[in-house]
Amino acid sequence: LYPNPAKGNLNLQLRNAPCGMYVVELAGINGTLYYSALHDSYDLTSGLGINIGNYPPGNYIVRIIYGNRSVSRNISVR
């Protein structure tokens, strides 16, 4: 995830992502879901941009779900 803190656009890249479909979510610390979309492994390995220009400033959690696995990272939006 970069940049962190982010403003305008958040970029996500997962190198060597196993083939398959991934759910990418962006939620506020309070649990409000701001972004949720299904992406394939090609999107993640080549780089995925999420427009966050209209999101309120604060701390967010980015979660990537693949099958029964998930990984979460914190991101700040200015």
Side-chain angles (χ1 to χ4, degrees), residues 35-53:
Y35 177 88
S36 180
L38 189 62
H39 294 279
D40 63 22
S41 53
Y42 177 78
D43 291 342
L44 295 179
T45 56
S46 62
L48 174 67
I50 301 172
N51 183 346
I52 58 169

Side-chain angles (χ1 to χ4, degrees), residues 9-46:
N9 218 20
L10 175 64
N11 298 298
L12 186 146
Q13 188 173 22
L14 183 61
R15 296 180 193 259
N16 302 321
C19 290
M21 300 303 291
Y22 293 77
V23 175
V24 177
E25 297 179 338
L26 180 65
I29 295 297
N30 63 359
T32 302
L33 189 61
Y34 287 90
Y35 177 88
S36 180
L38 189 62
H39 294 279
D40 63 22
S41 53
Y42 177 78
D43 291 342
L44 295 179
T45 56
S46 62

Side-chain angles (χ1 to χ4, degrees), residues 2-10 50-54 75-78:
Y2 60 93
N4 190 6
K7 182 178 181 180
N9 218 20
L10 175 64
I50 301 172
N51 183 346
I52 58 169
N54 293 327
I75 190 87
S76 295
V77 172
R78 289 190 179 177

